[in-house]
Amino acid sequence: MFNYLRQRFTSHIRERSRRRARLVSKDGRCNIEFGNVEQSRFVFLIDIWTTILDLRWRYKMTIFISAFLGSWFLFGLLWYVVAYIHKDLPEFNPSINHTPCVENINGLTSAFLFSLETQVTIGYGFRCVTEQCATAIFLLIFQSILGVIINSFMCGAILAKISRSKNRAKTITFSKNAVISKRGGKLCLLIRVANLRKSLLIGSHIYGKLLKTTITPEGETIILDQVNIEFVVDAGNENLFFISPLTIYHIIDKNSPFFHMAAETILQQDFELVVFLDGTVEATSATCQVRTSYIPEEVLWGYRFAPIVSKTKEGKYRVDFQNFSKTVAVETPHCAFCLHNEKEAKAKEKKGYDNPGFVLEVSETSDTKM
């Protein structure tokens, strides 16, 4: 019992360490941290538009509310200062013939309300600027222009955040696991991907990167070394007709980094397979990228995906997403190298190579006597 618990605890710790080491999460977010950046953070303020778009919603809404409340309060103070300098406030006891810069400003609260009405162009008609002082007219023009700029920038940022193609990527899903099995007489690594919307991704292109730690012949250790992984479907890997779920596959041949792996050793490998899908959103013509990753525990050797597309009695095609990530065990060679040697042996048998070292000697025998 103690040994069993220890093994479970060890496997749990190993799984957590592998999960922490994942560079790309299953939903496509990159797990990377930048440290000791010498460049000043002022450069992020120069590209303020991208900085605002990259912020999380809670920070964006905080900036949105703070920008409007801050500008209203700031200009409310300025309107109060104008009224104070011009002695329009009730504490100065203005005469009956006194014409204020702004009608009906009696304090800081009324100045704030007038600032709010001016910037958002509500126009209740109770408070208004008179022609008595040019300072008030200039302040009115300046606040109106600045209000339009703030309103355009913040509303544009929220609209751009909502309409980003990154959100379209959330309706593209990959299978939970990748599988390795034979397809077309070749050993392949297969992944299933589906478009949850009926609108297409135009010009889709799919590819992969295998991330692992390698040591060069010169002794240099390269962490997160990237190896290209070519994925194809039956019609190629470009311009996919992505109306129904597709099963993409990578052929494990001599040029594949999976060629020297086997069913018994794949869990001992240290790699991360990152899969990318690029395409153009049909509705907005904006490009988007979907990505996910697979670690060795998520690559199932000797399985294939269960079928999910069927045809109804009405002649419609139905996709059952309940079986989207479901796998079925199939007979599969335990390594690509063995399958390759088996094919070479069968090919040699068909060609019928002669062995020049094989000589058949026939001894002469004497005639049989009757």
Side-chain angles (χ1 to χ4, degrees), residues 18 32 44-45 55 64 74 86 93 99 146 173 184 191 205 228 243 248 250 255 266 278-279 301 304 318 335 352:
R18 283 184 179 272
I32 191 168
F44 295 97
L45 296 179
L55 289 176
F64 179 83
L74 175 62
H86 199 253
N93 297 318
T99 302
L146 185 62
T173 181
I191 297 173
H205 174 67
N228 291 327
I243 192 63
I248 61 174
H250 164 70
N255 298 322
I266 190 170
D278 298 337
W301 197 295
R304 64 173 174 82
R318 182 176 183 272
C335 67

Side-chain angles (χ1 to χ4, degrees), residues 222-235:
I222 302 177
I223 301 177
L224 297 180
D225 187 23
Q226 301 183 13
V227 180
N228 291 327
I229 302 293
E230 295 294 334
F231 282 98
V232 296
V233 293
D234 294 334

